[in-house]
Amino acid sequence: MNLSAQEAFLKLDLVLPPAPQPLGIYKPFLVDGKYLYLSGHGPVQTDKSLIIGRIGEDMDMEAGKLAARQVGLTMLSTIVTNFGSLDVVKRVIKVLGMVNCSADFERHPYIINGCSELFASVWGHENGIGVRSAVGMGSLPDNIPVEVEAVFELHQ
């Protein structure tokens, strides 16, 4: 029995944070044909606060990976808030994960796995894993540990 993306998410028993509103001059998402582009998202918690800290200084890798998972939940919230369901997405195309970390930190892909594993749990291995980049940054807005942007293919 194949579950829809929305059913798979509900089975995970996770809670979506509120979808963030833009704090600058940009759109949180854009649809172009069959593609949904999500702007960079940070780790919004259910109380609307952000997870703050730099990996390798203020938090360890496991906390960073959980922050990346929270970013994924924030992105899912943007989809559900604006489209009503995760079922509008056919598959993940591209993920760009940015990690706020100390200069000597080198495990960026491990951190971004927190988001990628969530997407794979929702859309399955075939459709939930796309191409990806995971890079380190000297800083991120508001000192968040992780920012992720993504491109999804929509069902037509």
Side-chain angles (χ1 to χ4, degrees):
M1 175 172 120
N2 288 336
L3 297 176
S4 73
Q6 190 68 36
E7 291 168 336
F9 175 76
L10 293 173
K11 193 171 181 178
L12 294 173
D13 202 30
L14 298 171
V15 177
L16 292 177
Q21 296 300 309
L23 298 176
I25 302 172
Y26 68 92
K27 295 178 181 185
F29 71 92
L30 181 89
V31 174
D32 182 19
K34 65 179 183 175
Y35 297 105
L36 168 62
Y37 296 81
L38 289 188
S39 291
H41 280 60
V44 177
Q45 301 181 95
T46 55
D47 66 359
K48 296 185 181 181
S49 68
L50 294 170
I51 297 172
I52 301 297
R54 187 179 183 105
I55 299 164
E57 291 178 9
D58 307 312
M59 64 176 58
D60 64 17
M61 285 192 340
E62 295 309 316
K65 185 176 180 184
L66 287 173
R69 179 177 171 204
Q70 194 63 37
V71 175
L73 288 170
T74 305
M75 297 172 88
L76 298 182
S77 180
T78 292
I79 295 170
V80 170
T81 298
N82 292 283
F83 297 91
S85 171
L86 298 173
D87 293 340
V88 300
V89 170
K90 179 178 178 181
R91 67 180 175 153
V92 176
I93 299 292
K94 168 91 171 113
V95 170
L96 168 60
M98 296 160 274
V99 179
N100 178 11
C101 57
S102 58
D104 62 342
F105 186 78
E106 298 177 341
R107 301 282 312 275
H108 314 99
Y110 180 82
I111 302 300
I112 302 306
N113 281 347
C115 181
S116 296
E117 290 168 1
L118 174 67
F119 289 175
S121 295
V122 171
W123 287 287
H125 188 78
E126 183 64 30
N127 292 323
I129 300 172
V131 297
R132 187 182 88 174
S133 299
V135 297
M137 299 288 172
S139 67
L140 286 173
D142 297 320
N143 198 34
I144 58 175
V146 181
E147 181 175 346
V148 178
E149 67 177 47
V151 180
F152 301 87
E153 181 179 356
L154 298 171
H155 286 287
Q156 293 292 319

